[in-house]
Amino acid sequence: MASRLPMILDALALAERDAPVQRLMVALGGEKFAATERYFGEPAVLSRRLRFTSGGELILHDDTLVAVVLHTVPTPSATAAITLSEWIPGASNAATLDDLKKSIDGRRRFAGFGTPYFELGGGYARAEFKDHRGWNDPGNLVGLAFTVEQPGLTCRPEDDNCPACSELLVRDDAESLDVEGTVQALAAAAASGLLKEDASWVSIGDLLPLHESGLMGRVESQLTCQTCRRILCIALEKDAEPTLSYLALNETRQHRLGPIPPVDKWGDAARVARERDAMHYVDHESGRWFLVEQGDQLYLDARYVVTNMVDDSALIQLDAAELEQYRVAGRAYLAELAERIHYGSPHREESPFFARDLKRGPEGAAYREAVSKAIVNHTWLAQQRSEG
Ligand SMILES: [Zn+2]
């Protein structure tokens, strides 16, 4: 029996009325089990899901077929499981990743750690396993998703109706985006932990006051859904309609944001007071260290290398002796201290900097965020954001 994958690949990126899509629907059993549709984002995109009793599913965006999913176990969204061997000769529903590799004629790659996929001529086959692991043991395969877009570089179409983040957009009676309502919904989702704010962009609570101040041509907040990992980007612009897009990390890198003006230029009294207590940028040397202050304390955030693939930074509060040397020698002393941290393997317990690294302590996550906010206008990302 021949592989039916070409039938899937031929249909991708076409409209429902096109012959290859119609042929695929017949091959999936013809009988639709359910069709659901919802809009996502602004400008809105219509996401339609056609589920077939055979265990197949089509996902269309504004009538373009963006994904074909073969569910290998029954799910609430697909009553039955597909018989995978009818589509890929030799592949069983319980296949491991190695089994799939033997039956699928395509290069195996990974998008991030938990997402294996195959590169096919004219598309990709993403293998979904239970909890994004367990692909070495039979019985963990839950489905194969065929897409035109390379996995990892865009969002998974299956996440269009993620329960955590797809209901957050608020529309008014005229169906246009209710910016205030949406900002409130996003802020509430961030407060409850459903979304995580990216401290390298405008804080969601600052978005409206910054936009209304007119000091920035374009303001944008980015928040990552903790369930589906899509990044929600809400942008407000002078003389342009607001947008809200669901993006993958790689796509957000194309976005631009100028330097954020000082809070006292646009924040209300409470916000200005909060800023007074926050951590602030003092100085930095590109790629090496940042000096930040909070109250009368100084903190050095120094980069170090863990392996040639991974680096991190250690945040050290300067002690009395170090403060004194900094007052005497200035930046030269910081450079020397940063160098000692850099070569001092602060990730190892025997390092004198290990116990002092505030990012390792119980409040590590809070310190990381505070530093990120303090240096928001001074990172390589800030420089990249403002170009172009
Ligand atoms: Zn989500």
Side-chain angles (χ1 to χ4, degrees):
M1 186 177 165
S3 165
R4 282 152 99 186
L5 293 190
M7 190 183 276
I8 293 177
L9 297 171
D10 286 350
L12 284 175
L14 299 181
E16 187 178 345
R17 64 180 173 277
D18 291 332
V21 179
Q22 291 293 321
R23 270 201 297 276
L24 178 61
M25 286 165 70
V26 170
L28 285 169
E31 194 188 338
K32 263 183 248 172
F33 158 64
T36 57
E37 53 182 52
R38 68 151 58 241
Y39 285 96
F40 70 91
E42 176 72 18
V45 175
L46 180 65
S47 169
R48 289 182 67 219
R49 302 180 76 136
L50 308 179
R51 287 139 187 171
F52 295 82
T53 46
S54 63
E57 181 173 8
L58 306 186
I59 305 177
L60 298 110
H61 284 176
D62 290 340
D63 204 29
T64 297
L65 183 64
V66 293
V68 176
V69 187
L70 303 180
H71 295 279
T72 54
V73 292
T75 67
S77 65
T79 48
I82 202 107
T83 306
L84 196 58
S85 59
E86 291 178 0
W87 291 83
I88 308 168
S92 87
N93 284 31
T96 64
L97 187 58
D98 278 343
D99 295 339
L100 288 175
K101 189 170 169 14
K102 282 172 204 146
S103 339
I104 295 179
D105 180 24
R107 204 152 77 92
R108 176 175 56 180
R109 301 181 65 186
F110 282 87
F113 174 70
T115 309
Y117 67 94
F118 296 91
E119 219 170 43
L120 312 170
Y124 301 87
R126 173 161 39 79
E128 293 287 331
F129 290 86
K130 214 159 117 193
D131 303 325
H132 299 289
R133 58 183 122 95
W135 49 71
N136 292 324
D137 300 310
N140 288 326
L141 183 67
V142 297
L144 283 176
F146 297 85
T147 56
V148 179
E149 302 285 354
Q150 185 179 331
L153 299 190
T154 58
C155 296
R156 295 164 10 123
E158 301 101 293
D159 291 329
D160 288 352
N161 53 357
C162 168
C165 69
S166 60
E167 309 267 4
L168 296 172
L169 195 147
V170 182
R171 291 187 180 282
D172 60 22
D173 295 339
E175 286 299 301
S176 38
L177 186 72
D178 172 352
V179 175
E180 261 178 53
T182 302
V183 166
Q184 266 173 29
L186 293 174
S192 72
L194 285 177
L195 303 180
K196 188 171 184 325
E197 277 196 69
D198 186 332
S200 306
W201 294 79
V202 174
S203 168
I204 187 73
D206 294 340
L207 194 71
L208 287 170
L210 255 176
H211 174 60
E212 281 153 16
S213 75
L215 294 170
M216 291 180 79
R218 182 175 188 283
V219 291
E220 175 169 347
S221 299
Q222 296 192 356
L223 307 98
T224 304
C225 174
Q226 298 303 287
T227 304
C228 70
R229 310 308 301 177
R230 290 188 298 173
I231 302 171
L232 283 70
C233 304
I234 180 164
L236 308 179
E237 228 171 305
K238 274 184 196 169
D239 312 319
E241 295 298 315
T243 61
L244 196 160
S245 18
Y246 289 80
L247 300 177
L249 182 63
N250 146 79
E251 297 169 299
T252 65
R253 296 254 159 92
Q254 315 297 320
H255 288 196
R256 296 290 171 254
L257 184 76
I260 300 169
V263 172
D264 55 4
K265 299 266 192 296
W266 52 268
D268 61 16
R271 181 67 182 84
V272 171
R274 232 179 27 252
E275 185 64 16
R276 220 168 18 238
D277 300 333
M279 221 171 229
H280 296 112
Y281 168 85
V282 180
D283 197 358
H284 87 287
E285 191 183 320
S286 192
R288 303 307 287 255
W289 54 263
F290 283 95
L291 186 68
V292 292
E293 68 179 354
Q294 187 169 29
D296 52 3
Q297 306 294 339
L298 283 175
Y299 301 84
L300 184 68
D301 191 46
R303 184 133 154 222
Y304 65 88
V305 176
V306 182
T307 68
N308 57 10
M309 297 284 288
V310 180
D311 60 5
D312 200 353
S313 64
L315 182 70
I316 309 289
Q317 184 183 340
L318 300 193
D319 63 24
E322 289 162 346
L323 279 173
E324 183 52 31
Q325 297 205 59
Y326 171 55
R327 296 201 205 293
V328 173
R331 287 183 107 234
Y333 173 69
L334 293 181
E336 184 215 301
L337 180 58
E339 184 125 324
R340 268 192 283 137
I341 296 171
H342 183 84
Y343 291 109
S345 302
H347 56 296
R348 298 224 169 91
E349 261 179 79
E350 60 270 26
S351 163
F353 299 108
F354 180 87
R356 294 183 64 190
D357 182 4
L358 295 165
K359 289 180 171 174
R360 274 182 198 286
E363 291 176 279
Y367 273 114
R368 272 179 201 272
E369 198 179 319
V371 173
S372 298
K373 284 191 171 155
I375 65 178
V376 65
N377 283 337
H378 305 278
T379 58
W380 68 267
L381 191 65
Q383 202 173 359
Q384 192 205 29
R385 273 190 332 230
S386 60
E387 284 163 5

